Amino acid sequence: MGRMDIEALRRDTPGVAHRVHLNNAGAGLLSRRTLRTMTAHLELEAEIGGYEAAERERDRIDRTYADIAELVGGRPAETALFDNSTHAWNAAFYSLSFRPGDRILTGRAEYGSNVLAYLQTARRAGAEIVVVPDDAYGQLDTAALAGMIDERTRLVGVSHVPTGGGLINPAAAIGRITRAAGVPFLLDATQSVGQFPVDVREIGCDMLTATGRKFLRGPRGIGFLWVRPEMLERLDPFVTEIAAATWDGGRGFSWHDGARRFETWEKNYAAVLGLGAAVRQALDLGLTAIGDRALALGAALRSRLAGLPGVTVHDQGEHRCAIVTAKVDGVPAAEVAAALARHGINVSTTSPGHTPFDTEDRGVHPLVRLSPHYYTTEAELDRAAEAIAGLPGRGHAFPSDLTICEENQPK
Ligand SMILES: *Cc1c(COP(=O)(O)O)cnc(C)c1O
């Protein structure tokens, strides 16, 4: 599993001393380096003043944009910072305009907040939401997408990796279709950035959003947007303020260059610098090495769980990531998570409303969601599997549970 010095990486991660952390899809653990970067900036703000601290750290703050650009394969001027991935996504989505009959194409795995935004736009502007079906692996069917794109299509919006499962959607194949059709492609890469290599040049998306706290191991409360420069002309920023535009005198104003026209002026600079440190660390480790190990750990955990009687794994896709979802016969997901927490193991559960189309399609949520990262060990996976194997009340299968064991096979 790669050549990373896992012991050194774990010594640099305070959280692994206390918990088995299998909730990186919720929030990854900060490294000491990231933590020190943030606390040092808070102390500097307290000592010399917030504006003065930002001025002093201007170069490092700018480097955060450059490092994000390097991470996703773009340029610094194409990136903008927000307080989470959702607001980054909103900045892109709500800056498009929709008229009655315009179509938004999305996938079954689309994130709940994005779906709500589509529903609001359908209600407000009369746009139509079209859900592209899954293929035999349970990922977005690119052949179906190619047949559904037409002159009414204003946007293709896809979650690269869903919040509720191990699926990796075929982003680059989707990008080839959207580019050939000239339709904007908004990729929600919140769960994929930091987990494995994600490159906008390879994927061919026009807008990409991600968050700091998940597999990137950055702080909470920060996210970013990348926008292809050609796309800027097609986006009318849905809000403006003094960081986004300049008053030209009289009644005129002009947008700032690049993606920063979507930003707001005030920022949590400790979080900005913390994100920069986390991104730098991921770049130094190498996203290929990170991805190889994280995905191998996901596969190892999936096979441990699949080997337990009465446990069904529900992840879809031809290629699966470090997010592992499962059902334990006779024990509701929330009870599994609570029991694991009593063993010092952090996991979470999926929510029906966080992936509405998937919920309509499969009806399996809530599931237990376990998400290791590269700093997880095989011994920790064993601990989690043993804790699940030892759950009281497990194994009382209901007939309806038996039919879903086939789900991981191509249909
Ligand atoms: C977590 C998540 C989001 C939202 O990210 P925030 O930073 O909480 O706004 C969006 N999309 C997916 C797929 C997610 O998993």
Side-chain angles (χ1 to χ4, degrees), residues 7 23 37 89 93 107 113 169-170 209 243 267 293 328 352 360:
E7 278 318 307
N23 192 16
T37 300
W89 191 94
F93 176 73
S113 298
N169 260 322
T209 57
K267 287 185 188 63
R293 185 170 162 91
V328 181
E360 279 182 339

Side-chain angles (χ1 to χ4, degrees), residues 84-87 111 159 161-163 188 190-191 211 213-214:
N84 51 54
S85 184
T86 304
H87 280 171
Y111 188 62
S159 293
V161 165
T163 196
D188 178 343
T190 309
Q191 292 291 4
T211 205
R213 75 180 182 283
K214 294 181 178 176

Side-chain angles (χ1 to χ4, degrees), residues 11-152:
R11 279 194 298 279
D12 192 45
T13 305
V16 300
H18 310 287
R19 315 282 295 185
V20 173
H21 188 69
L22 301 177
N23 192 16
N24 292 282
L29 292 172
L30 292 187
S31 69
R32 286 185 203 282
R33 177 167 143 188
T34 299
L35 184 60
R36 270 198 308 270
T37 300
M38 295 177 67
T39 52
H41 191 74
L42 288 174
E43 278 164 14
L44 187 64
E45 286 184 341
E47 279 162 22
I48 70 168
Y51 284 40
E52 294 74 10
E55 199 44 48
R56 188 178 287 184
E57 294 296 341
R58 182 52 51 196
D59 287 351
R60 286 207 306 156
I61 290 164
D62 287 343
R63 215 177 309 140
T64 299
Y65 292 87
D67 287 343
I68 290 169
E70 185 180 339
L71 179 72
V72 300
R75 295 189 197 88
E78 298 161 7
T79 60
L81 292 170
F82 295 85
D83 50 1
N84 51 54
S85 184
T86 304
H87 280 171
W89 191 94
N90 286 341
F93 176 73
Y94 284 100
S95 300
L96 291 159
S97 61
F98 295 92
R99 282 183 295 193
D102 284 351
R103 289 189 155 187
I104 299 167
L105 265 50
T106 187
R108 288 210 190 280
E110 189 68 339
Y111 188 62
S113 298
N114 308 352
V115 172
L116 290 170
Y118 300 149
L119 294 174
Q120 186 195 33
T121 299
R123 191 185 279 176
R124 256 189 196 166
E128 287 172 29
I129 306 160
V130 181
V131 183
V132 180
D134 286 344
D135 67 12
Y137 291 103
Q139 62 200 23
L140 188 138
D141 186 335
T142 49
L145 172 69
M148 291 164 88
I149 284 201
D150 62 15
E151 69 292 343
R152 294 168 294 180

Side-chain angles (χ1 to χ4, degrees), residues 246-268:
T246 313
W247 175 52
D248 292 336
R251 298 291 175 267
F253 77 94
S254 346
W255 295 112
H256 284 174
D257 287 341
R260 294 209 201 176
R261 68 183 61 179
F262 297 103
E263 286 193 349
T264 49
W265 190 86
E266 173 58 355
K267 287 185 188 63
N268 178 348

Side-chain angles (χ1 to χ4, degrees), residues 149 153-154 175-185 206 231 234:
I149 284 201
T153 309
R154 288 285 161 275
R176 280 192 289 278
I177 295 165
T178 56
R179 283 179 86 63
V183 170
F185 176 16
D206 299 290
M231 198 61 215
R234 297 168 74 168

